[in-house]
Amino acid sequence: MFKLNQIIRKSTAIKLGMLLVASTVLLGASCKKTKTPDDTPGDPSKVFDKQGLLVNMADNIIIPSYADFKTALENLKLSFTNFKTSGSLTDFQTVKEKLHLAYLSYQRVSLFGFGPGEDASVRFNFNVFPANVTLINSNISSGSYDLKTISNIATKGFPALDYLFYGLNQAEADQMQLFLTDAKRSKYVNDLLNEMTTILNSVIDTWNSTYRSTFINSLGTDVGSSIGFLINQINYELDYLKNAKIGIPLGLKSGGKILPENCEAYYSGQSLTYAIETLGIIENMYLGKSYSGTNGKGFDDYLDHLGIQYTDGTLYNAIKNQFMSAQAKLSVLANPLSYQIETNSQAVTTAYQELIKLLVLLKTDLPSSLGVVITYQDGDGD
Amino acid sequence: MGMAIKNLFKYLNTNCSIATLVVFRIAFGALMFFSTCRFILKGWVHSMYILPKMHFPYYGFEWVKALPPTGMYIVFSLLLISSLGILFGAFYRISSILFFLLFTYVELIDKTNYLNHYYFVSLVSFMLIFIPAAKSFSLDNKIFKRSETIEIPKFYIFILQFQLFLVYFFAGIAKINYDWLMEAQPLKIWLPAFSHYAVIGDFMEKEWVAYLFCWFGCSYDLVIGFLLFNKRTVNIAYVFVLVFHLATALFFNIGMFPYVMITITIIFFKEDLHLKIVNYLKKLFVYKVVSGSTFTINQFSKGLTIVFSLYFIIQITLPFRYLLYNGKLFWTEQGYRFSWRVMLVEKAGTAFFYVEDKETKQITEVDNKEYLTYMQEKMMATQPDMMVDYAKFLKQEFIEKGYSDPSIRAQSFVTLNGSGSQEFIDPTVDLSAESNCFLKNKEWVRSY
């Protein structure tokens, strides 16, 4: 029709040739199949072994952490049974020690809030703080409660145990007596522990029976893929550390009005230990560092393999250094965090700012460099 | 020049079979019905229009508000009904007007959800209002016992073809930029994510593959419209359309866009094919022309000429409006929407908002999750105009909470095409006092 016809005809042959070559490549792309894991054993000339990363995460971090948490929870239950039989102060102290170890162990699984962990709402069932003290006490005295209801979300899990074992403002011996004299109180603790065990067992069973294989075979980077889940959870956990564990008690969300009683584990005063543990597991997930300390395939290796740059250096180094800065600023503080907030808020604020910098790197640069898609909604690449 | 325009008009006034329009109408109606069903079934009516506590309005359309849940579902039900109306040619004029108005209304509620292909659907449904696509093989002809129209001026087909041409061509022009051609970005970032694919996986991390895809994509977009217009190359061009869009559908999370383009591009095929399809369908559905008489629309009105001349002048100039603004387009995004810039950037950001009570000097950090959905927060963190909207919303929220004349500042870090995150906006500026007026440069956006 237009004069363009002639122009087009001359160059058509060349262009069609070019289109054909390129479209063959594109057409090849449609054969979507996954590779066996042994295709690429750590050879830098080959593509990054994403399945290797996922296998490392599942077998060396996630599953062992759950197993360890299960042991810690069983130890806690056992120590509580022992204490009720003996009624001795030493056994009461053992319960508190085991409670601390289980709470610490929980910090290492909190990040796995996808798949079975999400289905069982581990985070919401185990660690919504601050505990609702009034409701806990009324539950105990009435003896009638349904822990599964939403209204009881702040009356169970570790925050409730933290309150029951530490938060009664009494001498240790008197506090112990309450458990021995009040059967309802002991029953409440048992109910809390049993609920936690049931939930945890279901998560572990699913991981062992079916989910591990689902997890290690989902090799994409889209939303709903294992890498998508991991990156999302790393960010969720870091955001949670920054906001719930530090920012809110520090008063940053309340116009500067500090809220020390909003600290995690406020009564036992272990907030800082748990915060540092959380940062530790975030770093381990990023590095692919196992429960026993072996450094396997992680996101750092992925970034390194792809040679991702960040300003003058590599993103790999930028993130590594920022983890170190954040750890350092948290480590200069001491337990209890609630006391630090009241007396040394500048140092807490400094640590908070390092977490913000880390969050920007992990939430913005990391997923953006790996092409991770984080929403189900359609996009058009903009 | 005058001669060319004269020839063009002559061409546009030549008659041709109405079958092309009928096939287009059926395809578009079916696509819209399907894609609206998909939208509802995915729960997006809820997550995009009911769940959010606030919406990000388009400049000048701040008066467009979401309806209560029932209202939104009624709107989407009406979209389903009107798309069927278009498909079957039932109460066609009303159906197409209704579809255009409702679809555009839904899109105008929140710019978080802006997609080029939604914009495209709005434009096509607007054009359909003026196009006699239901004057043949339609329920309307049965209901109103109308004569069957057999021929229409090429004008009606051309405007649709030209719109489609513009989409490709502008998408091609947008790809002529340093990042795309010289750096192979963002494909250099996106392709390695598919390194686990069999056979081609090994190539996904190779730089030359990213360059090949970029250069191919750019040439494809620039050339394909011409190849489609040319009767000799239209068939082979369509093969490329198929391959290209199916490949993008496999690689990228772009929903219905590839299928919309694949289906709608059939408008370029010769009329024989469309005639065959319509005749086949007429037989299949035992569609008989009632009166036996047939009818030809001989020309299009002066009014239509003016409407579509204006329409295309806007279409051709709008993508270039970014020239009015300072700074790098991908960074500031001033003039980014409505210009067929597709797949051009990998952009991500994190934004922290702070509200300061001017009287007490108390500062509160906002938890964005409290007010925004995941998608809204993600989009807001990289788009300055959305930050202004959000700041204005926060100001109202905090006034209601008892703050006295609060100022809203933001700390924001953005990475663009693998640049590494850097400070995006001036953290000292009270964003709630800024404006999104399209004539105003956003001076507080840091230079890239």
Side-chain angles (χ1 to χ4, degrees):
Chain A
M1 38 179 265
F2 304 125
K3 295 234 168 96
L4 284 164
N5 280 5
Q6 282 104 46
I7 308 163
I8 290 167
R9 225 175 298 149
K10 277 182 203 159
S11 53
T12 304
I14 308 164
K15 275 168 191 155
L16 286 188
M18 202 178 114
L19 289 169
L20 200 67
V21 172
S23 61
T24 316
V25 177
L26 284 168
L27 203 59
S30 29
C31 324
K32 198 173 177 176
K33 260 187 225 155
T34 49
K35 277 190 265 189
T36 53
D38 301 308
D39 278 357
T40 52
D43 181 349
S45 68
K46 288 281 184 85
V47 299
F48 184 74
D49 178 12
K50 284 190 271 184
Q51 190 161 49
L53 176 141
L54 295 176
V55 169
N56 180 41
M57 296 284 176
D59 294 351
N60 301 325
I61 308 182
I62 301 174
I63 294 171
S65 300
Y66 272 126
D68 185 79
F69 179 36
K70 185 184 158 104
T71 312
L73 200 55
E74 275 163 5
N75 289 342
L76 170 60
K77 279 174 81 173
L78 197 66
S79 69
F80 188 62
T81 314
N82 285 343
F83 157 68
K84 276 192 301 178
T85 323
S86 75
S88 81
L89 185 63
T90 326
D91 283 344
F92 185 66
Q93 284 163 342
T94 308
V95 179
K96 295 213 284 190
E97 185 198 320
K98 299 293 176 194
L99 172 59
H100 168 60
L101 291 176
Y103 208 163
L104 195 62
S105 194
Y106 161 78
Q107 305 298 333
R108 301 183 195 129
V109 305
S110 161
L111 189 149
F112 318 140
F114 57 90
E118 185 184 15
D119 294 342
S121 304
V122 172
R123 183 192 303 277
F124 294 101
N125 283 314
F126 284 36
N127 198 28
V128 170
F129 58 87
N132 186 335
V133 170
T134 323
L135 203 52
I136 290 172
N137 286 325
S138 88
N139 278 350
I140 291 174
S141 60
S142 76
S144 104
Y145 41 83
D146 179 1
L147 294 175
K148 287 193 184 67
T149 59
I150 289 283
S151 56
N152 268 323
I153 209 89
T155 67
K156 59 184 190 176
F158 287 109
L161 294 169
D162 182 61
Y163 164 70
L164 290 170
F165 282 91
Y166 292 92
L168 304 171
N169 267 333
Q170 293 187 358
E172 201 174 24
D174 297 337
Q175 195 153 316
M176 178 185 82
Q177 278 307 316
L178 284 174
F179 285 96
L180 299 172
T181 51
D182 185 355
K184 282 178 181 170
R185 182 174 297 270
S186 292
K187 182 179 179 297
Y188 196 69
V189 169
N190 268 331
D191 288 346
L192 297 186
L193 291 175
N194 286 336
E195 197 208 19
M196 290 161 89
T197 311
T198 314
I199 291 170
L200 181 62
N201 285 346
S202 80
V203 173
I204 292 177
D205 286 348
T206 315
W207 263 101
N208 289 336
S209 61
T210 54
Y211 193 72
R212 179 188 175 276
S213 125
T214 310
F215 178 79
I216 63 166
N217 287 310
S218 158
L219 297 178
T221 50
D222 51 335
V223 62
S225 67
S226 297
I227 287 180
F229 280 148
L230 289 171
I231 299 252
N232 255 341
Q233 286 302 313
I234 282 175
N235 281 304
Y236 188 97
E237 195 71 14
L238 184 57
D239 203 43
Y240 175 70
L241 167 63
K242 165 189 160 285
N243 288 333
K245 298 194 180 199
I246 297 174
I248 291 172
L250 194 54
L252 298 179
K253 314 277 168 176
S254 45
K257 183 181 180 295
I258 61 163
L259 305 165
E261 68 284 0
N262 278 36
C263 281
E264 183 183 27
Y266 172 66
Y267 302 99
S268 61
Q270 294 290 342
S271 342
L272 189 68
T273 310
Y274 298 160
I276 290 172
E277 197 65 26
T278 298
L279 187 58
I281 183 71
I282 293 170
E283 187 172 13
N284 284 354
M285 291 307 283
Y286 167 75
L287 296 172
K289 198 164 161 186
S290 82
Y291 200 75
S292 57
T294 325
N295 193 339
K297 268 202 180 67
F299 292 107
D300 60 331
D301 302 292
Y302 199 176
L303 290 180
D304 194 30
H305 173 89
L306 293 174
I308 305 292
Q309 299 298 301
Y310 178 80
T311 58
D312 297 334
T314 62
L315 184 57
Y316 172 89
N317 275 322
I319 295 179
K320 191 173 83 180
N321 293 337
Q322 193 51 42
F323 265 116
M324 277 162 53
S325 310
Q327 288 284 9
K329 296 289 186 250
L330 274 179
S331 304
V332 296
L333 304 172
N335 273 321
L337 188 60
S338 50
Y339 181 71
Q340 295 280 326
I341 282 167
E342 286 167 310
T343 59
N344 192 15
S345 72
Q346 191 46 53
V348 185
T349 308
T350 309
Y352 182 82
Q353 279 158 354
E354 294 302 322
L355 291 176
I356 284 193
K357 288 184 204 159
L358 183 62
L359 187 66
V360 169
L361 289 170
L362 294 182
K363 196 172 173 180
T364 303
D365 293 280
L366 179 63
S368 195
S369 311
L370 300 181
V372 171
V373 182
I374 39 182
T375 168
Y376 286 96
Q377 229 163 295
D378 294 342
D380 57 16
D382 63 1
Chain B
M1 190 64 192
M3 198 59 189
I5 289 179
K6 232 180 189 174
N7 280 342
L8 176 64
F9 265 81
K10 212 172 145 195
Y11 169 79
L12 295 179
N13 244 327
T14 329
N15 275 353
C16 65
S17 166
I18 195 173
T20 312
L21 288 185
V22 173
V23 172
F24 187 86
R25 181 199 89 210
I26 293 171
F28 185 78
L31 264 177
M32 290 307 114
F33 180 77
F34 176 76
S35 100
T36 310
C37 281
R38 172 177 178 264
F39 198 95
I40 298 169
L41 292 176
K42 286 199 171 232
W44 290 345
V45 180
H46 182 77
S47 67
M48 294 185 198
Y49 299 107
I50 295 169
L51 197 63
K53 294 196 175 71
M54 70 158 288
H55 289 294
F56 291 89
Y58 286 91
Y59 182 77
F61 292 92
E62 289 83 358
W63 49 275
V64 178
K65 301 279 180 218
L67 294 167
T70 322
M72 286 316 296
Y73 279 104
I74 291 174
V75 166
F76 276 86
S77 311
L78 288 174
L79 275 172
L80 285 178
I81 293 169
S82 54
S83 62
L84 288 178
I86 293 173
L87 165 56
F88 294 114
F91 308 100
Y92 172 79
R93 185 57 67 85
I94 298 169
S95 294
S96 51
I97 291 175
L98 195 64
F99 185 88
F100 163 70
L101 289 178
L102 292 177
F103 192 91
T104 309
Y105 157 69
V106 168
E107 292 318 313
L108 284 175
I109 293 173
D110 195 330
K111 62 192 168 200
T112 304
N113 310 314
Y114 173 81
L115 288 185
N116 282 295
H117 99 257
Y118 292 152
Y119 173 48
F120 181 66
V121 167
S122 269
L123 294 178
V124 170
S125 59
F126 170 77
M127 297 169 96
L128 280 182
I129 297 172
F130 304 95
I131 289 173
K135 297 232 181 260
S136 166
F137 187 49
S138 67
L139 286 180
D140 276 355
N141 278 4
K142 293 284 166 198
I143 296 164
F144 304 114
K145 305 213 182 335
R146 270 189 335 214
S147 318
E148 189 84 356
T149 298
I150 49 161
E151 289 200 327
I152 39 103
K154 277 188 175 156
F155 170 85
Y156 294 109
I157 298 171
F158 176 80
I159 52 175
L160 289 168
Q161 289 173 328
F162 191 57
Q163 178 58 59
L164 211 67
F165 170 87
L166 289 180
V167 173
Y168 280 121
F169 193 64
F170 277 115
I173 290 181
K175 288 188 176 70
I176 306 178
N177 71 71
Y178 185 85
D179 281 15
W180 184 269
L181 296 176
M182 296 298 145
E183 297 283 340
Q185 287 289 18
L187 288 185
K188 213 190 264 178
I189 294 174
W190 289 341
L191 293 180
F194 304 98
S195 62
H196 56 286
Y197 279 14
V199 190
I200 57 153
D202 288 345
F203 296 99
M204 292 294 105
E205 284 186 5
K206 301 265 186 286
E207 245 181 34
W208 64 265
V209 175
Y211 279 99
L212 177 77
F213 274 47
C214 281
W215 281 77
F216 170 71
C218 182
S219 341
Y220 168 88
D221 281 340
L222 286 172
V223 171
I224 196 75
F226 294 104
L227 296 180
L228 285 167
F229 259 127
N230 188 320
K231 294 279 169 275
R232 286 187 196 81
T233 48
V234 62
N235 290 337
I236 180 74
Y238 193 71
V239 173
F240 283 110
V241 169
L242 271 178
V243 170
F244 180 81
H245 285 299
L246 288 177
T248 56
L250 267 172
F251 276 109
F252 309 110
N253 177 38
I254 46 181
M256 292 292 294
F257 187 59
Y259 310 106
V260 170
M261 292 306 270
I262 285 172
T263 314
I264 279 183
T265 309
I266 54 175
I267 187 111
F268 284 98
F269 281 125
K270 292 167 212 166
E271 65 178 39
D272 318 7
L273 178 79
H274 296 284
L275 260 171
K276 268 186 208 155
I277 296 174
V278 174
N279 285 336
Y280 172 79
L281 289 174
K282 279 183 174 172
K283 255 186 219 151
L284 191 69
F285 291 97
V286 211
Y287 179 91
K288 288 207 178 73
V289 179
V290 181
S291 63
S293 68
T294 53
F295 195 83
T296 293
I297 298 175
N298 273 321
Q299 50 191 334
F300 50 95
S301 69
K302 275 224 172 71
L304 270 189
T305 317
I306 294 168
V307 168
F308 280 99
S309 301
L310 274 174
Y311 173 93
F312 282 116
I313 288 170
I314 295 171
Q315 282 299 311
I316 290 168
T317 47
L318 208 56
F320 293 111
R321 74 189 185 285
Y322 75 95
L323 295 169
L324 297 172
Y325 305 106
N326 300 335
K328 186 181 163 90
L329 169 67
F330 294 169
W331 186 249
T332 67
E333 298 210 19
Q334 293 213 91
Y336 195 93
R337 296 185 196 101
F338 310 114
S339 59
W340 314 116
R341 294 171 204 282
V342 193
M343 312 292 302
L344 287 178
V345 290
E346 165 59 45
K347 200 175 181 188
T350 309
F352 306 97
F353 277 74
Y354 304 92
V355 183
E356 182 173 355
D357 187 319
K358 277 197 187 136
E359 208 169 84
T360 61
K361 300 285 171 210
Q362 283 179 344
I363 299 175
T364 292
E365 187 189 325
V366 178
D367 185 1
N368 295 332
K369 282 200 285 292
E370 205 177 304
Y371 303 104
L372 304 178
T373 65
Y374 198 89
M375 192 67 181
Q376 286 180 318
E377 189 184 355
K378 174 181 141 66
M379 288 296 180
M380 179 276 292
T382 60
Q383 298 180 34
D385 60 337
M386 294 179 76
M387 291 186 177
V388 171
D389 297 327
Y390 183 47
K392 288 183 189 299
F393 166 81
L394 286 176
K395 184 173 181 137
Q396 280 313 311
E397 280 290 305
F398 279 79
I399 285 174
E400 276 163 37
K401 283 187 183 179
Y403 275 58
S404 121
D405 189 22
S407 70
I408 319 287
R409 292 177 299 105
Q411 219 188 344
S412 164
F413 303 89
V414 167
T415 173
L416 171 65
N417 287 347
S419 66
S421 55
Q422 44 182 301
E423 193 170 70
F424 186 49
I425 58 165
D426 183 344
T428 62
V429 168
D430 177 3
L431 290 173
S432 66
E434 293 299 323
S435 144
N436 277 334
C437 177
F438 64 93
L439 295 171
K440 214 177 159 209
N441 260 299
K442 291 188 168 54
E443 306 288 357
W444 40 271
V445 178
R446 294 277 194 232
S447 53
Y448 178 69

